[in-house]
Amino acid sequence: MPLWAVQVSIALISFLETMLLIYLSYKGNIWEQIFRISFILEMINTVPFIITIFWPPLRNLFIPVFLNCWLAKYALENMINDLHRAIQRTQSAMFNQVLILICTLLCLVFTGTCGIQHLERAGEKLSLFKSFYFCIVTFSTVGYGDVTPKIWPSQLLVVIMICVALVVLPLQFEELVYLWMERQKSGGNYSRHRAQTEKHVVLCVSSLKIDLLMDFLNEFYAHPRLQDYYVVILCPTEMDIQVRRVLQIPLWSQRVIYLQGSALKDQDLMRAKMDNGEACFILSSRNEVDRTAADHQTILRAWAVKDFAPNCPLYVQILKPENKFHVKFADHVVCEEECKYAMLALNCVCPATSTLITLLVHTSRGQEGQESPEQWQRMYGRCSGNEVYHIRMGDSKFFMEYEGKSFTYAAFHAHKKYGVCLIGIRREENKSILLNPGPRHIMAASDTCFYINITKEENSAFIFKQEEKQKKKGFAGRGTYDGPSRLPVHSIIASMVAMDLQNTECRPANSSKLTLPAENGSSNRRPSIAPVLELADTSSLLPCDLLSDQSEDEMTQSDEEGSAVVEYVKGYPPNSPYIGSSPTLCHLLPEKAPFCCLRLDKGCKHNSFEDAKAYGFKNKLIIVSAETAGNGLYNFIVPLRAYYRSRKELNPIVLLLDNKPEHHFLEAICCFPMVYYMEGTIDNLDSLLQCGIIYADNLVVVDKESTMSAEEDYMADAKTIVNVQTMFRLFPSLSIITELTHPSNMRFMQFRAKDSYSLALSKLEKKERENGSNLAFMFRLPFAAGRVFSISMLDTLLYQSFVKDYMITITRLLLGLDTTPGSGYLCAMKITEDDLWIRTYGRLFQKLCSSSAEIPIGIYRTESHMFATSEPHDIRAQSQISINVEDCEDTKDVKEHWGIKTSHHRNSCSSDQSEHPLLRRKSMQWARRLSRKGNKHSSKTAEWISQQRLSLYRRSERQELSELVKNRMKHLGLPTTGYEDVANLTASDVMNRVNLGYLQDEMNDHQNTLSYVLINPPPDTRLELNDIVYLIRSDPLAHVANDGHSRKSSCSNKLGPCNPETRDETQL
């Protein structure tokens, strides 16, 4: 009776609650409420109990109260949903679905167990456990058959339960699988517990390409201390197949997490645990046609991350320089176009600067190419492992002993003893980095030293015990070499001779060589080099000469220049095309040039010049081919017009633009001397000839924005590659510097199907990539020679700044984008025959440090090389370089005949097409006259015809191209003398001038040259003729305020012959 009372009470409460809910949720359709499963179950479990109140005999009726488990399941779902709404939790779809599935399985098993146990009371009276066992075996589709229902009601219940399970469970599993797949696409979450116990960085990108991903992962995980970091990728697009395949590799699957989401959504930033991240890298999509729109997306992402996680360090990549000031709050910003154009500009005056910077900002083991049989590849690969490191001077074994001594003294002796190249310092009280502050800078223990080496000092295996013993004996700190006992590392300076403590005279003004010191009458004595002084001798330092005579460029003019030469002034450009450009002291015009005078190919009221020849430039041109005159192009001009470049060294700059430049850009460049523009394209021969390509030393081809987006990603460079190859065939002596979108396309810059050497380089590249090298493309000859690069190579600059926060600053100083007062700049000098007496790189280091306080950091070497080929010799003999186009033109008639034929073949000559029938008619008449002649002259005529035919067959490709160019020049009214000088170059002259890695089909002697960069080579490296040495020259204006006029005049009197106008290499 008490149990019945409890059951009835619960039934009444449940019934009244159900009726109330139906009334409240009634919306005009009563049948919808009545036929709900939950309402039917409530009626089955409550109405019989209520009836027993009025009809007692029904109290013995069995009521299936176990069906309340379904109502409990429904109530649990509602309770969890209410709980999630209360705590505002939105990432619970997977949890809810798993919970529903488990509850459904439990309810099915519980219902079947209770129902069968009750119904089988009329049969074998199964126990509750056996009923549970039967349900599990049945629902798992095993069906042993040892326990079976015996009576029809229980059998009917089993049939009903199986039907329900076949309908309900698949629906539940389908929903669960769908949610799981969606979660896999979106990447799920990075758990809060992991974020608090593990370190991670977030990479935000618009679209993730496999090349970008691998560059980031290889560079990021190249540092030992980052091995335990996780990388969380936040990308709005779905992961593509290639990226998914890579992220399934065990090397990456355990530490790279891909989340599909937007950085503009706080929910997605919360999923990535941005507020707990060690750093956030935001990269722009450079493959977008509209790069400004790509920058706008990057700016919004940076703002969103800064708003959500203000303490998370931001590393932002921006494309356009005018958008840089929007993200100046970021910890580190790399502007792609700024770096690109500055690097291209320096490539014109310091060969292969792009290769030098790329190798410096890549993390490498220095093991690339060490298994190669070729010496240049082993040396080039070894030196590519040099990187920039930093250490506090007081904690350094390399530099600690030079406290209180000059920077130049410390740089030379550290290089002499340990092979490290000290390039700059940073004072503790001043956060500015100074490259080569000069000998006046005295080293302090609190200084941070920046140096180039294979590995950082903490990982070096140098032994300093012998050094410490010598310190105790008082032998350390001398100004001269103390012999082999001072070399605790290895005999890297065995080839260096003893130095005499004598002054070195400055070279004459008309010399550009490293001068030999006076030998004091000793004819059989080796030349010696002055020592590097511990403290600067201000009365004999060459940089002082640079200060005292800065105005001499403009004040003194040679006789041949005359008085009509426009004088330049030094100052800061008055108009910058964008906000945030670093002010640089430059050569400027006294007055701004009118916009009409900037147009190269059209005369105006101020001058009538219409081509480059008419201007009569003294120096070779630098031509830049670009699609539009973007603000980044301003950074190409500034480094070439910087104040530290002599006026006589300034090259005219011609901008060959597809589209007309805007007014604000012309306003920015009109103050620079010898800067012109012209509308045209590089695939138009007339445009190239009009802009003076035959008078140019360098042609810079900038990747066009409109071609960056192609149906097939790697086809974006197709047009640029073909155009560059065509120009190289037309103008073989021209140095062409090309920018490509994809680094892998560099191999097509020298493509020859039957060249075995290129095939060997391709195999070497694949081998290095298999060995895990980040610089597998470095052995491609155009890249090694600095004639091609991709701006995507500089992505590693942003990644490396996470570990080396100074790398962006140092790179901008080297490229001339920033000019910190007191910091030096990058330049180059060439080794001539008169400089070979120095013999080794270590002695050159000493010579430069002791005389001009310059720090060498590397060598650009060009050497002859024999390229083996699989082509037969007799076939190659038919494609030799022609020295003179006129060789095959024996008579005037024949010359006219082939001139017309060539012009029709190329469709480039101004001759009328109507001349072709006349030519054919004359040929037929000539043939009939020959047939009517007797045998007397037949043999002689046949011999002459065969000679002419052989002359035609032997016309090389070089001759046809040369004639094509000259015909177009005649059509445009341009003199052909300049091009004939180029066309008459021999094969060796061509290759020596070009210094490319290009392979020519027309080579006569299988000889070619290759060029490569050696960063910080060993001191015993032998200098070779035509080596170009990279120097960091100290700032000539660094000590103007401190020195005063008297010191300047003193230096001027002492070193008067050293004229800055003649410093086209270096002055010693």
Side-chain angles (χ1 to χ4, degrees):
M1 190 68 180
L3 180 61
W4 174 80
V6 172
Q7 289 177 331
V8 171
S9 301
I10 295 175
L12 281 172
I13 296 173
S14 299
F15 180 78
L16 293 174
E17 181 187 4
T18 302
M19 291 297 107
L20 180 61
L21 291 175
I22 288 178
Y23 175 76
L24 294 176
S25 60
Y26 174 69
K27 296 181 180 179
N29 189 354
I30 189 64
W31 297 109
E32 181 182 355
Q33 304 293 331
I34 292 177
F35 288 107
R36 289 172 58 186
I37 298 296
S38 59
F39 179 77
I40 295 174
L41 290 176
E42 284 285 358
M43 294 301 103
I44 293 175
N45 288 294
T46 58
V47 171
F49 283 107
I50 297 174
I51 295 176
T52 58
I53 299 175
F54 308 102
W55 193 6
L58 285 179
R59 294 176 185 176
N60 295 323
L61 179 67
F62 175 76
I63 300 172
V65 291
F66 55 83
L67 294 179
N68 282 322
C69 66
W70 295 98
L71 296 175
K73 170 183 171 291
Y74 179 72
L76 179 62
E77 292 178 11
N78 291 335
M79 183 177 65
I80 292 176
N81 290 334
D82 293 340
L83 177 64
H84 288 162
R85 281 195 295 270
I87 64 176
Q88 297 182 351
R89 183 178 177 183
T90 57
Q91 300 89 356
S92 58
M94 181 64 69
F95 172 77
N96 284 355
Q97 196 58 40
V98 171
L99 184 64
I100 291 171
L101 178 61
I102 294 174
C103 292
T104 302
L105 289 173
L106 291 177
C107 290
L108 284 173
V109 173
F110 182 72
T111 303
T113 299
C114 295
I116 291 174
Q117 193 271 340
H118 173 72
L119 294 176
E120 280 297 317
R121 289 178 182 177
E124 295 183 357
K125 295 184 179 181
L126 294 177
S127 64
L128 193 63
F129 176 77
K130 284 191 175 182
S131 298
F132 175 73
Y133 168 76
F134 170 76
C135 289
I136 295 297
V137 170
T138 301
F139 287 138
S140 63
T141 68
V142 175
Y144 290 118
D146 52 343
V147 178
T148 57
K150 301 300 182 180
I151 59 176
W152 71 268
S154 58
Q155 293 172 347
L156 179 62
L157 177 62
V158 171
V159 171
I160 294 173
M161 295 302 298
I162 290 176
C163 291
V164 171
L166 289 177
V167 174
V168 174
L169 291 181
L171 293 176
Q172 299 289 339
F173 276 112
E174 180 186 7
E175 186 70 19
L176 182 63
V177 171
Y178 174 77
L179 289 175
W180 176 258
M181 293 177 63
E182 290 297 316
R183 182 172 180 174
Q184 286 296 103
K185 291 180 181 179
S186 63
N189 300 326
Y190 185 69
S191 68
R192 176 69 61 181
H193 174 72
R194 292 182 62 181
Q196 293 175 348
T197 58
E198 300 166 350
K199 295 181 179 180
H200 76 284
V201 298
V202 182
L203 175 65
C204 295
V205 290
S206 297
S207 59
L208 188 62
K209 301 295 183 182
I210 186 63
D211 292 339
L212 184 146
L213 175 64
M214 295 312 300
D215 286 344
F216 179 84
L217 295 180
N218 288 330
E219 183 63 34
F220 186 80
Y221 286 112
H223 301 277
R225 75 178 184 89
L226 301 182
Q227 299 304 310
D228 296 331
Y229 278 64
Y230 286 82
V231 174
V232 178
I233 302 172
L234 186 61
C235 181
T237 60
E238 185 178 342
M239 191 189 320
D240 65 19
I241 297 176
Q242 287 183 317
V243 173
R244 187 183 302 277
R245 188 181 300 120
V246 168
L247 294 186
Q248 290 175 349
I249 299 175
L251 178 63
W252 310 121
S253 62
Q254 300 301 319
R255 48 185 179 177
V256 180
I257 302 168
Y258 187 94
L259 303 182
Q260 183 177 350
S262 172
L264 272 64
K265 295 181 180 179
D266 286 353
Q267 296 91 336
D268 293 330
L269 294 177
M270 191 179 299
R271 289 169 53 206
K273 302 301 178 290
M274 185 70 73
D275 50 340
N276 294 106
E278 299 294 321
C280 176
F281 295 89
I282 302 178
L283 305 184
S284 296
S285 178
R286 65 166 54 89
N287 294 328
E288 295 288 339
V289 176
D290 190 353
R291 293 164 71 84
T292 302
D295 271 352
H296 293 167
Q297 297 175 14
T298 301
I299 292 168
L300 286 183
R301 289 192 182 96
W303 289 352
V305 172
K306 195 65 177 179
D307 177 70
F308 180 83
N311 296 324
C312 181
L314 268 181
Y315 298 77
V316 181
Q317 178 195 63
I318 210 79
L319 302 179
K320 296 280 190 179
E322 59 266 27
N323 298 320
K324 189 175 64 171
F325 80 101
H326 290 295
V327 291
K328 62 181 180 181
F329 57 84
D331 298 81
H332 299 276
V333 180
V334 172
C335 181
E336 179 178 294
E337 286 196 2
E338 274 189 340
C339 296
K340 175 177 74 176
Y341 282 108
M343 191 177 297
L344 289 171
L346 281 185
N347 262 11
C348 299
V349 292
C350 297
T353 301
S354 58
T355 303
L356 173 72
I357 299 296
T358 301
L359 296 179
L360 275 179
V361 301
H362 271 78
T363 301
S364 170
R365 303 163 297 169
Q367 300 299 319
E368 286 82 2
Q370 296 309 297
E371 298 180 1
S372 172
E374 300 203 31
Q375 174 65 24
W376 79 269
Q377 292 175 354
R378 294 195 300 271
M379 192 171 184
Y380 172 52
R382 177 64 177 168
C383 291
S384 70
N386 283 278
E387 298 177 44
V388 181
Y389 299 100
H390 76 292
I391 192 170
R392 186 176 178 274
M393 184 178 178
D395 303 330
S396 171
K397 293 289 186 180
F398 286 165
F399 311 111
M400 182 172 56
E401 61 182 294
Y402 307 120
E403 181 181 355
K405 298 178 176 58
S406 68
F407 175 86
T408 310
Y409 180 87
F412 165 65
H413 283 278
H415 185 266
K416 164 196 166 184
K417 295 171 63 175
Y418 307 115
V420 301
C421 181
L422 179 63
I423 62 172
I425 59 95
R426 180 173 58 198
R427 288 289 196 193
E428 186 178 25
E429 66 277 3
N430 188 0
K431 297 304 180 182
S432 298
I433 297 177
L434 304 179
L435 298 182
N436 186 14
R440 294 180 179 85
H441 178 87
I442 306 303
M443 305 293 288
S446 59
D447 288 352
T448 300
C449 300
F450 300 95
Y451 61 96
I452 297 176
N453 196 23
I454 291 288
T455 182
K456 60 182 179 180
E457 180 181 333
E458 293 84 346
N459 299 337
S460 301
F462 293 148
I463 302 174
F464 300 93
K465 293 181 179 179
Q466 187 175 354
E467 179 73 19
E468 293 172 357
K469 291 179 181 178
Q470 291 183 356
K471 270 190 172 184
K472 294 178 181 178
K473 296 179 181 180
F475 291 118
R478 302 293 182 188
T480 58
Y481 288 106
D482 291 330
S485 62
R486 290 290 309 277
L487 302 177
V489 185
H490 50 78
S491 57
I492 58 177
I493 55 168
S495 60
M496 302 180 68
V497 298
M499 301 177 296
D500 290 336
L501 294 173
Q502 61 181 12
N503 293 328
T504 304
E505 296 291 336
C506 183
R507 64 183 172 89
N510 59 356
S511 172
S512 61
K513 310 294 187 297
L514 297 170
T515 56
L516 279 165
E519 298 185 0
N520 297 329
S522 178
S523 59
N524 58 354
R525 181 183 174 192
R526 285 185 178 181
S528 59
I529 304 175
V532 182
L533 302 180
E534 294 185 12
L535 298 176
D537 182 4
T538 56
S539 63
S540 60
L541 283 175
L542 185 61
C544 190
D545 170 63
L546 292 175
L547 299 179
S548 61
D549 235 349
Q550 282 296 304
S551 61
E552 192 170 344
D553 286 348
E554 293 79 26
M555 297 302 294
T556 59
Q557 298 179 0
S558 61
D559 295 336
E560 61 181 1
E561 285 180 342
S563 59
V565 177
V566 179
E567 298 212 5
Y568 304 149
V569 297
K570 291 186 175 70
Y572 293 96
N575 297 310
S576 174
Y578 62 92
I579 300 174
S581 62
S582 179
T584 303
L585 193 64
C586 298
H587 291 281
L588 303 176
L589 293 171
E591 296 181 359
K592 292 183 180 180
F595 290 174
C596 58
C597 295
L598 299 179
R599 186 72 182 261
L600 180 74
D601 57 332
K602 290 186 178 180
C604 63
K605 62 182 180 180
H606 305 95
N607 65 68
S608 59
F609 304 145
E610 294 186 353
D611 58 76
K613 177 66 175 177
Y615 282 87
F617 295 124
K618 300 297 182 183
N619 294 334
K620 292 287 189 177
L621 301 176
I622 294 177
I623 301 176
V624 186
S625 173
E627 187 174 25
T628 57
N631 293 329
L633 199 55
Y634 176 80
N635 293 291
F636 183 91
I637 300 172
V638 170
L640 298 179
R641 294 294 179 264
Y643 72 97
Y644 43 76
R645 303 197 186 280
S646 172
R647 181 173 62 83
K648 287 189 175 182
E649 295 176 0
L650 300 182
N651 299 89
I653 301 173
V654 178
L655 309 178
L656 183 62
L657 306 174
D658 292 6
N659 305 310
K660 187 176 181 179
E662 296 183 1
H663 180 86
H664 76 277
F665 179 78
L666 296 179
E667 185 71 24
I669 68 171
C670 67
C671 59
F672 294 104
M674 294 188 295
V675 176
Y676 309 92
Y677 79 93
M678 173 184 162
E679 295 180 38
T681 59
I682 57 172
D683 52 0
N684 188 330
L685 181 58
D686 291 357
S687 298
L688 293 173
L689 293 173
Q690 282 183 307
C691 72
I693 194 169
I694 62 174
Y695 309 111
D697 261 350
N698 291 278
L699 172 64
V700 178
V701 181
V702 180
D703 202 8
K704 297 183 179 180
E705 297 179 13
S706 60
T707 63
M708 288 184 178
S709 179
E711 293 182 1
E712 185 178 349
D713 288 340
Y714 294 93
M715 284 296 178
D717 296 319
K719 185 176 181 180
T720 301
I721 292 173
V722 174
N723 287 337
V724 169
Q725 290 297 88
T726 302
M727 284 187 293
F728 178 71
R729 298 300 185 191
L730 292 173
F731 309 99
S733 65
L734 185 65
S735 174
I736 306 175
I737 305 168
T738 312
E739 181 212 357
L740 299 180
T741 302
H742 301 283
S744 58
N745 287 335
M746 289 190 299
R747 64 187 187 273
F748 299 121
M749 299 304 294
Q750 59 171 29
F751 183 76
R752 287 200 332 169
K754 297 182 179 181
D755 179 43
S756 58
Y757 193 75
S758 295
L759 180 61
L761 290 178
S762 177
K763 292 180 179 178
L764 177 62
E765 179 178 344
K766 295 174 184 176
K767 184 177 180 181
E768 294 296 335
R769 186 175 288 110
E770 291 173 357
N771 293 336
S773 172
N774 300 340
L775 293 168
F777 53 80
M778 63 177 290
F779 293 102
R780 291 291 181 178
L781 297 182
F783 172 76
R787 298 303 171 183
V788 62
F789 85 105
S790 174
I791 193 60
S792 63
M793 299 174 185
L794 280 189
D795 289 348
T796 56
L797 176 61
L798 189 67
Y799 312 151
Q800 221 181 60
S801 61
F802 179 65
V803 177
K804 305 174 181 178
D805 58 357
Y806 48 82
M807 278 307 300
I808 295 177
T809 303
I810 289 180
T811 302
R812 291 180 64 86
L813 289 173
L814 288 174
L815 294 178
L817 290 172
D818 291 337
T819 53
T820 304
S823 179
Y825 59 93
L826 182 66
C827 60
M829 60 163 286
K830 190 172 184 178
I831 300 297
T832 63
E833 291 184 358
D834 294 335
D835 305 325
L836 294 179
W837 65 272
I838 302 178
R839 296 195 303 280
T840 64
Y841 182 77
R843 287 170 54 85
L844 175 67
F845 204 114
Q846 181 189 354
K847 176 68 175 173
L848 293 171
C849 287
S850 63
S851 57
S852 58
E854 295 167 330
I855 306 297
I857 62 173
I859 295 176
Y860 178 71
R861 176 160 292 177
T862 302
E863 60 185 34
S864 300
H865 196 81
M866 183 73 69
F867 294 119
T869 178
S870 57
E871 297 179 11
H873 184 271
D874 56 343
I875 295 178
R876 288 180 58 85
Q878 297 180 8
S879 60
Q880 298 174 354
I881 285 185
S882 175
I883 305 303
N884 195 332
V885 180
E886 308 298 328
D887 290 344
C888 66
E889 301 174 352
D890 296 334
T891 64
K892 181 176 180 180
D893 293 338
V894 176
K895 179 177 179 180
E896 293 175 355
H897 174 84
W898 291 121
I900 294 173
K901 184 169 183 177
T902 303
S903 65
H904 285 303
H905 179 66
R906 295 294 182 181
N907 293 324
S908 304
C909 187
S910 60
S911 301
D912 193 345
Q913 293 289 339
S914 61
E915 294 181 5
H916 187 79
L918 178 62
L919 173 64
R920 183 176 180 182
R921 188 163 56 252
K922 289 183 178 180
S923 300
M924 296 296 294
Q925 295 173 358
W926 178 56
R928 282 194 292 270
R929 285 200 304 270
L930 286 177
S931 63
R932 287 196 296 267
K933 287 187 177 182
N935 295 332
K936 180 178 179 181
H937 301 288
S938 61
S939 59
K940 184 177 181 180
T941 304
E943 182 180 356
W944 181 80
I945 292 175
S946 63
Q947 289 178 354
Q948 297 301 317
R949 183 178 299 172
L950 183 62
S951 176
L952 168 66
Y953 288 154
R954 289 186 175 178
R955 285 168 59 87
S956 69
E957 179 184 280
R958 176 68 251 154
Q959 288 175 318
E960 294 184 22
L961 294 176
S962 176
E963 192 166 331
L964 166 66
V965 174
K966 290 202 294 183
N967 286 335
R968 293 311 304 158
M969 295 180 69
K970 292 176 182 177
H971 174 71
L972 296 173
L974 301 175
T976 61
T977 54
Y979 183 74
E980 289 173 350
D981 294 340
V982 174
N984 293 342
L985 292 174
T986 62
S988 58
D989 290 337
V990 169
M991 298 315 300
N992 286 336
R993 288 188 61 183
V994 176
N995 281 344
L996 291 172
Y998 290 106
L999 302 174
Q1000 283 188 271
D1001 292 329
E1002 301 92 348
M1003 291 310 298
N1004 197 19
D1005 52 2
H1006 293 224
Q1007 287 288 338
N1008 210 326
T1009 62
L1010 56 86
S1011 303
Y1012 53 93
V1013 175
L1014 301 176
I1015 303 176
N1016 188 29
D1020 56 354
T1021 303
R1022 302 290 296 186
L1023 296 178
E1024 296 182 4
L1025 187 64
N1026 295 326
D1027 278 352
I1028 296 177
V1029 181
Y1030 299 105
L1031 307 172
I1032 299 180
R1033 185 171 291 162
S1034 58
D1035 183 12
L1037 301 180
H1039 303 280
V1040 170
N1042 297 330
D1043 288 348
H1045 177 73
S1046 60
R1047 183 173 296 181
K1048 287 172 60 179
S1049 60
S1050 172
C1051 295
S1052 177
N1053 293 334
K1054 193 156 192 171
L1055 296 176
C1058 295
N1059 190 344
E1061 290 184 359
T1062 63
R1063 292 176 59 86
D1064 49 340
E1065 282 100 17
T1066 191
Q1067 208 172 40
L1068 297 177

